[in-house]
Amino acid sequence: MDVARAEVRRGSRILLRAADNGATEISEQALSSLVRFAAAAIPGVHSRRCRIEIRPASAGLASEDHQSGTTGTATPAGPRLIVNLRVAAAPGIDIPVMAEALRQEISNAIPAGVGIAAGTVNITVEDLYDV
C-alpha cells in the first residue's frame, strides 16, 4: 500500500493561507496521509480509502448535510473540508464508539497539523478484519 500511496500525482491543492507575498498550499495526498496517521492512533482500525472534498470558505454551512466532529466553537476562516474515510474494524469492536473516537481524532489532527478546520468527517466501516 505504501507504493500505491507514494503516487507522483499529488491531487488537488488546498489553499491554507494567502498573503501579499505568496500563498501556502497543501496537497490532497498530504492531507490524506495526515488523516490516515490520525486513524492509526485508534486501536482496532485499519484505514482504507480517504477522499477529501474541498469547498470554498464562501460556501455556507446550510449547503452541508451536517457537521460532524465540531465542538460548537467558531471555526477559522478557510476552506471547508469534507473528509470521507473508509475503514476496516477489528471484530468485537464497538463500531459507534470507535467511529466517534476516530472522528474526534481526525477533527483534532487536521487543525493541529495544518491550521484549518476539519469540517465534516464521514466514517464508513466497510469490512471487518481478523486480528
Side-chain angles (χ1 to χ4, degrees), residues 105-121:
E105 188 71 26
I106 293 168
S107 294
N108 291 335
I110 292 176
V114 295
I116 57 175
T120 303
V121 178

Side-chain angles (χ1 to χ4, degrees), residues 38-39 41-43 45 94-108 121 123:
I42 305 296
V45 174
D94 187 349
I95 291 176
V97 171
M98 176 274 301
E100 190 54 40
L102 181 56
R103 186 174 286 116
Q104 190 63 41
E105 188 71 26
I106 293 168
S107 294
N108 291 335
V121 178
I123 309 293

Side-chain angles (χ1 to χ4, degrees), residues 36-95:
R36 283 190 187 91
F37 184 74
I42 305 296
V45 174
H46 288 171
S47 62
R48 291 194 168 174
R49 185 176 183 145
C50 179
R51 303 290 290 171
I52 298 173
E53 296 176 41
I54 307 155
R55 294 202 180 145
S58 60
L61 294 178
S63 65
E64 293 186 13
D65 296 333
H66 95 272
Q67 288 287 297
S68 301
T70 58
T71 59
T73 58
T75 57
R80 298 289 308 151
L81 301 180
I82 301 172
V83 178
N84 297 297
L85 180 65
R86 294 180 177 274
V87 300
I93 196 167
D94 187 349
I95 291 176

